[in-house]
Short mmCIF file of all heavy atoms in Angstrom, two decimals:
data_model
loop_
_atom_site.label_atom_id
_atom_site.label_comp_id
_atom_site.label_asym_id
_atom_site.label_seq_id
_atom_site.Cartn_x
_atom_site.Cartn_y
_atom_site.Cartn_z
N MET A 1 0.87 -1.16 -0.05
CA MET A 1 0.00 0.02 -0.05
C MET A 1 0.85 1.22 -0.01
O MET A 1 1.87 1.35 0.75
CB MET A 1 -0.93 0.03 1.21
CG MET A 1 -1.86 1.13 1.24
SD MET A 1 -2.97 1.15 2.65
CE MET A 1 -3.99 -0.21 2.33
N THR A 2 0.60 2.18 -0.83
CA THR A 2 1.35 3.38 -0.96
C THR A 2 0.64 4.48 -0.21
O THR A 2 -0.51 4.48 0.14
CB THR A 2 1.62 3.75 -2.40
OG1 THR A 2 0.38 4.13 -2.99
CG2 THR A 2 2.22 2.65 -3.20
N ASP A 3 1.36 5.68 -0.09
CA ASP A 3 0.76 6.86 0.56
C ASP A 3 -0.44 7.32 -0.34
O ASP A 3 -1.40 7.83 0.19
CB ASP A 3 1.79 7.99 0.62
CG ASP A 3 2.79 7.77 1.71
OD1 ASP A 3 2.50 6.90 2.58
OD2 ASP A 3 3.84 8.37 1.63
N ARG A 4 -0.29 7.16 -1.66
CA ARG A 4 -1.42 7.61 -2.55
C ARG A 4 -2.69 6.76 -2.26
O ARG A 4 -3.70 7.26 -2.24
CB ARG A 4 -0.96 7.44 -4.01
CG ARG A 4 -2.00 7.89 -4.91
CD ARG A 4 -1.48 7.82 -6.37
NE ARG A 4 -2.59 8.09 -7.25
CZ ARG A 4 -2.75 7.62 -8.43
NH1 ARG A 4 -1.90 6.80 -8.94
NH2 ARG A 4 -3.82 7.94 -9.15
N ASP A 5 -2.46 5.46 -2.07
CA ASP A 5 -3.67 4.62 -1.69
C ASP A 5 -4.34 5.06 -0.45
O ASP A 5 -5.53 5.18 -0.31
CB ASP A 5 -3.22 3.17 -1.53
CG ASP A 5 -2.72 2.53 -2.85
OD1 ASP A 5 -3.16 3.03 -3.93
OD2 ASP A 5 -1.94 1.55 -2.79
N CYS A 6 -3.53 5.42 0.61
CA CYS A 6 -4.04 5.88 1.81
C CYS A 6 -4.82 7.18 1.65
O CYS A 6 -5.93 7.34 2.22
CB CYS A 6 -2.98 6.04 2.91
SG CYS A 6 -2.28 4.52 3.45
N THR A 7 -4.24 8.12 0.94
CA THR A 7 -4.93 9.36 0.71
C THR A 7 -6.23 9.21 -0.02
O THR A 7 -7.21 9.78 0.34
CB THR A 7 -3.95 10.32 -0.10
OG1 THR A 7 -2.75 10.43 0.59
CG2 THR A 7 -4.61 11.67 -0.35
N HIS A 8 -6.25 8.36 -1.03
CA HIS A 8 -7.47 8.11 -1.81
C HIS A 8 -8.49 7.53 -0.91
O HIS A 8 -9.66 7.92 -0.91
CB HIS A 8 -7.18 7.22 -2.92
CG HIS A 8 -8.44 6.84 -3.77
ND1 HIS A 8 -9.13 7.75 -4.52
CD2 HIS A 8 -9.08 5.66 -3.81
CE1 HIS A 8 -10.16 7.17 -5.03
NE2 HIS A 8 -10.21 5.90 -4.62
N ARG A 9 -8.11 6.59 -0.04
CA ARG A 9 -9.14 5.94 0.82
C ARG A 9 -9.66 6.86 1.88
O ARG A 9 -10.74 6.77 2.36
CB ARG A 9 -8.50 4.69 1.47
CG ARG A 9 -8.31 3.58 0.48
CD ARG A 9 -7.87 2.34 1.16
NE ARG A 9 -7.76 1.31 0.06
CZ ARG A 9 -6.96 0.34 0.12
NH1 ARG A 9 -6.23 0.07 1.19
NH2 ARG A 9 -6.90 -0.49 -0.88
N GLN A 10 -8.85 7.84 2.26
CA GLN A 10 -9.31 8.83 3.34
C GLN A 10 -10.39 9.77 2.69
O GLN A 10 -11.14 10.33 3.46
CB GLN A 10 -8.14 9.56 3.86
CG GLN A 10 -7.27 8.73 4.72
CD GLN A 10 -6.07 9.51 5.26
OE1 GLN A 10 -5.82 10.58 4.79
NE2 GLN A 10 -5.32 8.92 6.15
N THR A 11 -10.35 10.04 1.40
CA THR A 11 -11.21 11.00 0.81
C THR A 11 -12.48 10.40 0.24
O THR A 11 -13.36 11.07 -0.24
CB THR A 11 -10.54 11.83 -0.21
OG1 THR A 11 -10.06 10.87 -1.22
CG2 THR A 11 -9.40 12.60 0.43
N VAL A 12 -12.59 9.05 0.19
CA VAL A 12 -13.70 8.31 -0.45
C VAL A 12 -14.40 7.44 0.54
O VAL A 12 -13.75 6.66 1.23
CB VAL A 12 -13.21 7.55 -1.63
CG1 VAL A 12 -14.35 6.76 -2.35
CG2 VAL A 12 -12.46 8.45 -2.68
N GLY A 13 -15.74 7.48 0.61
CA GLY A 13 -16.50 6.58 1.31
C GLY A 13 -16.59 6.81 2.82
O GLY A 13 -15.94 7.78 3.28
N PRO A 14 -17.30 5.95 3.52
CA PRO A 14 -17.50 6.14 4.99
C PRO A 14 -16.19 5.86 5.70
O PRO A 14 -15.35 5.07 5.27
CB PRO A 14 -18.57 5.15 5.37
CG PRO A 14 -18.49 4.11 4.30
CD PRO A 14 -17.99 4.86 3.04
N ARG A 15 -16.07 6.37 6.90
CA ARG A 15 -14.92 6.09 7.77
C ARG A 15 -15.28 5.06 8.71
O ARG A 15 -16.41 4.93 9.12
CB ARG A 15 -14.48 7.40 8.42
CG ARG A 15 -13.95 8.42 7.50
CD ARG A 15 -13.43 9.55 8.24
NE ARG A 15 -12.92 10.57 7.24
CZ ARG A 15 -12.08 11.47 7.57
NH1 ARG A 15 -11.69 11.62 8.84
NH2 ARG A 15 -11.66 12.27 6.66
N SER A 16 -14.30 4.28 9.14
CA SER A 16 -14.48 3.27 10.12
C SER A 16 -13.71 3.62 11.33
O SER A 16 -12.77 4.42 11.32
CB SER A 16 -14.12 1.89 9.62
OG SER A 16 -12.77 1.81 9.35
N ARG A 17 -14.03 2.99 12.51
CA ARG A 17 -13.37 3.25 13.73
C ARG A 17 -13.00 1.86 14.31
O ARG A 17 -13.66 0.90 14.20
CB ARG A 17 -14.37 3.92 14.73
CG ARG A 17 -13.94 4.06 16.07
CD ARG A 17 -15.02 4.84 16.91
NE ARG A 17 -16.34 4.34 16.82
CZ ARG A 17 -16.85 3.31 17.44
NH1 ARG A 17 -16.07 2.60 18.25
NH2 ARG A 17 -18.09 2.94 17.35
N ALA A 18 -11.83 1.85 14.99
CA ALA A 18 -11.35 0.63 15.55
C ALA A 18 -12.33 0.25 16.60
O ALA A 18 -12.84 1.06 17.41
CB ALA A 18 -9.99 0.81 16.09
N ARG A 19 -12.55 -1.04 16.80
CA ARG A 19 -13.46 -1.57 17.81
C ARG A 19 -12.93 -1.28 19.25
O ARG A 19 -13.65 -1.22 20.21
CB ARG A 19 -13.70 -3.09 17.74
CG ARG A 19 -14.36 -3.50 16.44
CD ARG A 19 -15.83 -3.40 16.51
NE ARG A 19 -16.40 -4.25 17.52
CZ ARG A 19 -17.58 -4.09 17.98
NH1 ARG A 19 -18.39 -3.16 17.52
NH2 ARG A 19 -18.06 -4.90 18.95
N SER A 20 -11.65 -1.01 19.35
CA SER A 20 -11.03 -0.69 20.63
C SER A 20 -11.30 0.73 21.10
O SER A 20 -11.07 1.10 22.19
CB SER A 20 -9.56 -1.04 20.66
OG SER A 20 -8.94 -0.18 19.68
N ALA A 21 -11.78 1.56 20.15
CA ALA A 21 -12.02 2.95 20.53
C ALA A 21 -13.16 3.06 21.51
O ALA A 21 -14.03 2.17 21.49
CB ALA A 21 -12.35 3.77 19.24
N ARG A 22 -13.20 4.06 22.33
CA ARG A 22 -14.18 4.15 23.42
C ARG A 22 -15.41 4.81 22.86
O ARG A 22 -15.48 6.02 22.68
CB ARG A 22 -13.65 4.91 24.57
CG ARG A 22 -12.48 4.14 25.18
CD ARG A 22 -11.91 4.97 26.34
NE ARG A 22 -13.02 5.22 27.23
CZ ARG A 22 -12.83 5.21 28.54
NH1 ARG A 22 -11.69 4.92 29.08
NH2 ARG A 22 -13.83 5.53 29.40
N PRO A 23 -16.49 4.01 22.53
CA PRO A 23 -17.68 4.56 21.91
C PRO A 23 -18.70 5.25 22.89
O PRO A 23 -19.60 5.96 22.43
CB PRO A 23 -18.33 3.44 21.25
CG PRO A 23 -18.00 2.26 22.18
CD PRO A 23 -16.60 2.62 22.66
N GLY A 24 -18.56 5.00 24.15
CA GLY A 24 -19.60 5.41 25.11
C GLY A 24 -19.92 6.88 25.10
O GLY A 24 -21.09 7.28 25.04
N SER A 25 -18.97 7.77 25.10
CA SER A 25 -19.25 9.17 25.17
C SER A 25 -19.97 9.67 23.88
O SER A 25 -20.79 10.57 23.94
CB SER A 25 -18.00 9.99 25.39
OG SER A 25 -17.14 9.82 24.27
N PHE A 26 -19.60 9.10 22.73
CA PHE A 26 -20.30 9.54 21.55
C PHE A 26 -21.70 9.10 21.50
O PHE A 26 -22.61 9.83 21.07
CB PHE A 26 -19.59 8.89 20.29
CG PHE A 26 -18.21 9.40 20.11
CD1 PHE A 26 -17.16 8.59 20.38
CD2 PHE A 26 -17.96 10.72 19.68
CE1 PHE A 26 -15.82 9.04 20.22
CE2 PHE A 26 -16.69 11.21 19.56
CZ PHE A 26 -15.62 10.31 19.80
N LYS A 27 -22.08 7.96 22.05
CA LYS A 27 -23.44 7.50 22.11
C LYS A 27 -24.25 8.36 23.07
O LYS A 27 -25.38 8.74 22.81
CB LYS A 27 -23.52 6.05 22.57
CG LYS A 27 -22.91 5.15 21.46
CD LYS A 27 -23.16 3.68 21.75
CE LYS A 27 -22.49 2.75 20.78
NZ LYS A 27 -22.73 2.99 19.33
N PHE A 28 -23.63 8.73 24.22
CA PHE A 28 -24.34 9.56 25.15
C PHE A 28 -24.61 10.94 24.53
O PHE A 28 -25.68 11.41 24.62
CB PHE A 28 -23.55 9.69 26.40
CG PHE A 28 -24.13 10.65 27.39
CD1 PHE A 28 -25.33 10.26 28.05
CD2 PHE A 28 -23.59 11.92 27.73
CE1 PHE A 28 -25.94 11.17 28.95
CE2 PHE A 28 -24.22 12.72 28.61
CZ PHE A 28 -25.40 12.39 29.20
N ARG A 29 -23.59 11.53 23.90
CA ARG A 29 -23.79 12.88 23.33
C ARG A 29 -24.87 12.78 22.25
O ARG A 29 -25.64 13.70 22.12
CB ARG A 29 -22.46 13.42 22.73
CG ARG A 29 -21.55 13.93 23.81
CD ARG A 29 -20.37 14.58 23.26
NE ARG A 29 -19.48 13.45 22.65
CZ ARG A 29 -18.33 13.66 22.10
NH1 ARG A 29 -17.82 14.84 22.02
NH2 ARG A 29 -17.63 12.63 21.69
N GLY A 30 -24.81 11.74 21.45
CA GLY A 30 -25.87 11.66 20.39
C GLY A 30 -27.29 11.52 20.97
O GLY A 30 -28.20 12.06 20.48
N ALA A 31 -27.35 10.74 22.06
CA ALA A 31 -28.69 10.51 22.69
C ALA A 31 -29.19 11.88 23.31
O ALA A 31 -30.38 12.21 23.17
CB ALA A 31 -28.62 9.44 23.74
N VAL A 32 -28.31 12.60 23.92
CA VAL A 32 -28.66 13.83 24.55
C VAL A 32 -29.11 14.84 23.43
O VAL A 32 -30.09 15.48 23.53
CB VAL A 32 -27.48 14.51 25.35
CG1 VAL A 32 -27.81 16.00 25.72
CG2 VAL A 32 -27.28 13.66 26.58
N TYR A 33 -28.34 14.89 22.38
CA TYR A 33 -28.73 15.72 21.30
C TYR A 33 -30.09 15.33 20.63
O TYR A 33 -30.91 16.23 20.42
CB TYR A 33 -27.67 15.73 20.14
CG TYR A 33 -28.05 16.54 18.92
CD1 TYR A 33 -28.00 17.88 18.93
CD2 TYR A 33 -28.53 15.85 17.82
CE1 TYR A 33 -28.45 18.65 17.92
CE2 TYR A 33 -28.93 16.61 16.71
CZ TYR A 33 -28.86 17.97 16.74
OH TYR A 33 -29.25 18.72 15.62
N ALA A 34 -30.22 14.04 20.45
CA ALA A 34 -31.49 13.60 19.85
C ALA A 34 -32.67 14.02 20.70
O ALA A 34 -33.71 14.48 20.22
CB ALA A 34 -31.44 12.07 19.68
N LEU A 35 -32.63 13.83 22.05
CA LEU A 35 -33.64 14.20 22.91
C LEU A 35 -33.90 15.70 22.94
O LEU A 35 -35.00 16.21 23.14
CB LEU A 35 -33.47 13.69 24.29
CG LEU A 35 -34.07 12.27 24.51
CD1 LEU A 35 -33.11 11.17 24.35
CD2 LEU A 35 -34.87 12.22 25.78
N SER A 36 -32.79 16.44 22.83
CA SER A 36 -32.88 17.94 22.88
C SER A 36 -33.61 18.46 21.58
O SER A 36 -34.18 19.63 21.67
CB SER A 36 -31.54 18.60 22.95
OG SER A 36 -30.84 18.43 21.77
N THR A 37 -33.71 17.68 20.51
CA THR A 37 -34.39 18.14 19.34
C THR A 37 -35.86 17.82 19.35
O THR A 37 -36.64 18.27 18.49
CB THR A 37 -33.76 17.51 18.03
OG1 THR A 37 -33.92 16.12 18.10
CG2 THR A 37 -32.30 17.85 17.96
N LEU A 38 -36.32 17.05 20.27
CA LEU A 38 -37.73 16.65 20.37
C LEU A 38 -38.58 17.74 21.03
O LEU A 38 -38.01 18.48 21.85
CB LEU A 38 -37.88 15.40 21.22
CG LEU A 38 -37.20 14.11 20.73
CD1 LEU A 38 -37.45 12.94 21.75
CD2 LEU A 38 -37.75 13.69 19.36
N SER A 39 -39.81 17.84 20.55
CA SER A 39 -40.71 18.80 21.21
C SER A 39 -41.11 18.31 22.59
O SER A 39 -40.89 17.10 22.94
CB SER A 39 -41.93 19.01 20.35
OG SER A 39 -42.71 17.82 20.38
N GLY A 40 -41.70 19.16 23.40
CA GLY A 40 -42.15 18.69 24.74
C GLY A 40 -43.14 17.55 24.62
O GLY A 40 -43.11 16.64 25.45
N ALA A 41 -44.07 17.64 23.63
CA ALA A 41 -45.01 16.56 23.52
C ALA A 41 -44.32 15.25 23.07
O ALA A 41 -44.74 14.17 23.54
CB ALA A 41 -46.09 16.96 22.45
N GLU A 42 -43.39 15.37 22.22
CA GLU A 42 -42.63 14.15 21.78
C GLU A 42 -41.90 13.54 22.95
O GLU A 42 -41.83 12.35 23.12
CB GLU A 42 -41.69 14.45 20.60
CG GLU A 42 -42.37 14.80 19.33
CD GLU A 42 -41.46 15.28 18.25
OE1 GLU A 42 -40.51 16.00 18.59
OE2 GLU A 42 -41.69 14.93 17.11
N ARG A 43 -41.26 14.43 23.74
CA ARG A 43 -40.53 13.92 24.93
C ARG A 43 -41.52 13.27 25.93
O ARG A 43 -41.21 12.26 26.53
CB ARG A 43 -39.83 15.04 25.63
CG ARG A 43 -38.33 15.06 25.35
CD ARG A 43 -37.59 16.11 26.17
NE ARG A 43 -37.07 16.99 25.14
CZ ARG A 43 -37.22 18.27 25.25
NH1 ARG A 43 -37.84 18.85 26.21
NH2 ARG A 43 -36.65 19.09 24.37
N ALA A 44 -42.67 13.85 26.02
CA ALA A 44 -43.70 13.31 27.03
C ALA A 44 -44.13 11.92 26.54
O ALA A 44 -44.46 11.05 27.29
CB ALA A 44 -44.90 14.24 27.09
N ALA A 45 -44.17 11.74 25.23
CA ALA A 45 -44.57 10.40 24.70
C ALA A 45 -43.56 9.33 24.97
O ALA A 45 -43.85 8.18 25.05
CB ALA A 45 -44.81 10.51 23.25
N GLY A 46 -42.30 9.73 25.18
CA GLY A 46 -41.21 8.88 25.49
C GLY A 46 -40.43 8.39 24.24
O GLY A 46 -40.75 8.66 23.12
N VAL A 47 -39.32 7.72 24.56
CA VAL A 47 -38.43 7.18 23.55
C VAL A 47 -38.17 5.72 23.72
O VAL A 47 -38.42 5.20 24.83
CB VAL A 47 -37.02 7.93 23.54
CG1 VAL A 47 -37.24 9.38 23.13
CG2 VAL A 47 -36.41 7.86 24.89
N ILE A 48 -37.83 5.02 22.70
CA ILE A 48 -37.66 3.63 22.73
C ILE A 48 -36.29 3.18 22.12
O ILE A 48 -36.00 3.72 21.06
CB ILE A 48 -38.76 2.84 21.90
CG1 ILE A 48 -40.10 3.08 22.48
CG2 ILE A 48 -38.47 1.37 21.90
CD1 ILE A 48 -41.23 2.60 21.61
N ALA A 49 -35.57 2.37 22.82
CA ALA A 49 -34.32 1.83 22.31
C ALA A 49 -34.53 0.34 21.95
O ALA A 49 -35.13 -0.40 22.71
CB ALA A 49 -33.26 1.90 23.36
N GLY A 50 -34.08 -0.02 20.77
CA GLY A 50 -34.33 -1.38 20.27
C GLY A 50 -33.24 -2.34 20.74
O GLY A 50 -33.22 -3.46 20.15
N SER A 51 -32.40 -2.02 21.58
CA SER A 51 -31.39 -2.94 22.17
C SER A 51 -31.16 -2.64 23.58
O SER A 51 -31.71 -1.64 24.14
CB SER A 51 -30.08 -2.78 21.35
OG SER A 51 -29.40 -1.61 21.77
N SER A 52 -30.30 -3.44 24.17
CA SER A 52 -29.97 -3.14 25.58
C SER A 52 -28.52 -2.85 25.74
O SER A 52 -27.96 -2.93 26.82
CB SER A 52 -30.33 -4.34 26.48
OG SER A 52 -29.63 -5.44 26.08
N GLY A 53 -27.83 -2.42 24.67
CA GLY A 53 -26.40 -2.14 24.69
C GLY A 53 -26.10 -0.74 25.07
O GLY A 53 -26.85 -0.04 25.76
N ASN A 54 -24.94 -0.30 24.66
CA ASN A 54 -24.40 1.06 25.03
C ASN A 54 -25.33 2.18 24.59
O ASN A 54 -25.62 3.07 25.34
CB ASN A 54 -23.07 1.29 24.43
CG ASN A 54 -21.97 0.42 25.00
OD1 ASN A 54 -22.11 -0.09 26.12
ND2 ASN A 54 -20.90 0.26 24.25
N HIS A 55 -25.94 2.05 23.39
CA HIS A 55 -26.81 3.07 22.94
C HIS A 55 -28.07 3.13 23.84
O HIS A 55 -28.49 4.28 24.19
CB HIS A 55 -27.27 2.77 21.48
CG HIS A 55 -28.37 3.76 21.04
ND1 HIS A 55 -28.17 5.10 20.78
CD2 HIS A 55 -29.63 3.53 20.80
CE1 HIS A 55 -29.25 5.63 20.49
NE2 HIS A 55 -30.20 4.73 20.46
N ALA A 56 -28.59 2.05 24.18
CA ALA A 56 -29.80 2.00 25.03
C ALA A 56 -29.51 2.59 26.41
O ALA A 56 -30.33 3.36 26.97
CB ALA A 56 -30.38 0.60 25.22
N GLN A 57 -28.36 2.29 26.96
CA GLN A 57 -27.97 2.81 28.25
C GLN A 57 -27.81 4.31 28.14
O GLN A 57 -28.27 5.12 29.07
CB GLN A 57 -26.71 2.20 28.78
CG GLN A 57 -26.88 0.71 29.11
CD GLN A 57 -25.59 0.09 29.55
OE1 GLN A 57 -24.66 0.67 29.93
NE2 GLN A 57 -25.61 -1.28 29.47
N ALA A 58 -27.21 4.80 27.13
CA ALA A 58 -27.03 6.23 26.99
C ALA A 58 -28.41 6.97 26.73
O ALA A 58 -28.61 7.99 27.29
CB ALA A 58 -26.14 6.50 25.70
N LEU A 59 -29.22 6.31 25.96
CA LEU A 59 -30.60 6.88 25.74
C LEU A 59 -31.38 6.94 27.04
O LEU A 59 -32.05 7.93 27.33
CB LEU A 59 -31.34 6.09 24.72
CG LEU A 59 -32.71 6.65 24.27
CD1 LEU A 59 -32.49 7.97 23.63
CD2 LEU A 59 -33.39 5.71 23.38
N ALA A 60 -31.29 5.91 27.85
CA ALA A 60 -32.02 5.92 29.17
C ALA A 60 -31.53 7.08 30.07
O ALA A 60 -32.27 7.73 30.73
CB ALA A 60 -31.85 4.63 29.85
N LEU A 61 -30.20 7.24 30.15
CA LEU A 61 -29.61 8.31 30.91
C LEU A 61 -30.05 9.69 30.39
O LEU A 61 -30.51 10.57 31.13
CB LEU A 61 -28.12 8.23 31.08
CG LEU A 61 -27.40 9.31 31.81
CD1 LEU A 61 -27.99 9.35 33.26
CD2 LEU A 61 -25.94 9.03 31.84
N ALA A 62 -30.00 9.85 29.11
CA ALA A 62 -30.34 11.17 28.45
C ALA A 62 -31.81 11.42 28.66
O ALA A 62 -32.21 12.53 28.97
CB ALA A 62 -30.05 11.06 26.98
N ALA A 63 -32.65 10.41 28.60
CA ALA A 63 -34.10 10.56 28.86
C ALA A 63 -34.31 11.01 30.33
O ALA A 63 -35.16 11.85 30.57
CB ALA A 63 -34.86 9.27 28.57
N GLN A 64 -33.62 10.40 31.23
CA GLN A 64 -33.73 10.76 32.61
C GLN A 64 -33.38 12.28 32.83
O GLN A 64 -34.05 13.01 33.53
CB GLN A 64 -32.84 9.94 33.52
CG GLN A 64 -32.98 10.18 35.03
CD GLN A 64 -32.06 9.22 35.77
OE1 GLN A 64 -31.03 8.70 35.27
NE2 GLN A 64 -32.41 9.03 37.03
N LEU A 65 -32.24 12.68 32.21
CA LEU A 65 -31.87 14.08 32.27
C LEU A 65 -32.85 15.08 31.68
O LEU A 65 -33.00 16.14 32.15
CB LEU A 65 -30.46 14.26 31.64
CG LEU A 65 -29.33 13.55 32.27
CD1 LEU A 65 -28.03 13.65 31.41
CD2 LEU A 65 -29.08 14.07 33.72
N HIS A 66 -33.56 14.57 30.65
CA HIS A 66 -34.53 15.45 29.97
C HIS A 66 -35.97 15.20 30.52
O HIS A 66 -36.95 15.73 30.03
CB HIS A 66 -34.60 15.14 28.46
CG HIS A 66 -33.45 15.81 27.70
ND1 HIS A 66 -33.46 17.09 27.36
CD2 HIS A 66 -32.30 15.31 27.28
CE1 HIS A 66 -32.41 17.37 26.70
NE2 HIS A 66 -31.58 16.31 26.65
N LYS A 67 -36.08 14.40 31.61
CA LYS A 67 -37.35 14.12 32.22
C LYS A 67 -38.33 13.51 31.24
O LYS A 67 -39.51 13.89 31.18
CB LYS A 67 -37.91 15.30 32.94
CG LYS A 67 -36.93 15.85 34.04
CD LYS A 67 -37.61 16.86 34.91
CE LYS A 67 -36.75 17.41 35.94
NZ LYS A 67 -35.41 16.92 36.21
N ALA A 68 -37.79 12.58 30.45
CA ALA A 68 -38.65 11.89 29.46
C ALA A 68 -38.71 10.41 29.86
O ALA A 68 -37.80 9.92 30.54
CB ALA A 68 -38.09 12.01 28.05
N LYS A 69 -39.70 9.72 29.40
CA LYS A 69 -39.82 8.23 29.53
C LYS A 69 -38.97 7.55 28.55
O LYS A 69 -38.86 8.01 27.40
CB LYS A 69 -41.22 7.78 29.44
CG LYS A 69 -42.14 8.29 30.47
CD LYS A 69 -43.56 7.63 30.45
CE LYS A 69 -44.14 7.71 29.14
NZ LYS A 69 -45.54 7.13 29.06
N ALA A 70 -38.29 6.44 28.92
CA ALA A 70 -37.53 5.65 28.06
C ALA A 70 -37.90 4.20 28.22
O ALA A 70 -38.06 3.72 29.32
CB ALA A 70 -36.05 5.83 28.22
N THR A 71 -38.05 3.49 27.10
CA THR A 71 -38.30 2.04 27.17
C THR A 71 -37.12 1.39 26.47
O THR A 71 -36.81 1.69 25.36
CB THR A 71 -39.62 1.73 26.40
OG1 THR A 71 -40.65 2.38 27.03
CG2 THR A 71 -39.84 0.18 26.46
N VAL A 72 -36.46 0.43 27.18
CA VAL A 72 -35.32 -0.25 26.66
C VAL A 72 -35.68 -1.74 26.49
O VAL A 72 -36.24 -2.28 27.38
CB VAL A 72 -34.13 -0.14 27.61
CG1 VAL A 72 -32.94 -0.97 27.13
CG2 VAL A 72 -33.71 1.35 27.77
#
């Protein structure tokens, strides 16, 4: 692989992240942002996470901070 190959790959297509990277803070920030974009009525209706992994835990905490219901 040459430097040119690396440069081309960096400018084309989606980026990937090593599995060893710490994803928790990104999921929490995303969940907080997502809840902050909801209207009061939407927050009152609650949010649902389709898994019980890191995203669901982040969503549950974000919902608690926004005083919204969360179903995991």
Side-chain angles (χ1 to χ4, degrees):
M1 182 179 292
T2 66
D3 287 341
R4 182 176 175 213
D5 293 333
C6 290
T7 302
H8 176 70
R9 288 188 179 153
Q10 288 176 351
T11 59
V12 177
R15 294 186 179 198
S16 62
R17 170 177 54 80
R19 296 276 300 161
S20 61
R22 296 178 57 141
S25 64
F26 295 107
K27 294 189 184 307
F28 176 70
R29 284 184 288 183
V32 168
Y33 175 75
L35 268 102
S36 71
T37 64
L38 297 178
S39 69
E42 289 171 324
R43 259 189 242 127
V47 293
I48 299 172
S51 75
S52 60
N54 290 340
H55 172 70
Q57 292 176 20
L59 186 63
L61 178 57
Q64 184 180 23
L65 295 174
H66 283 280
K67 300 193 181 354
K69 293 190 308 186
T71 301
V72 176

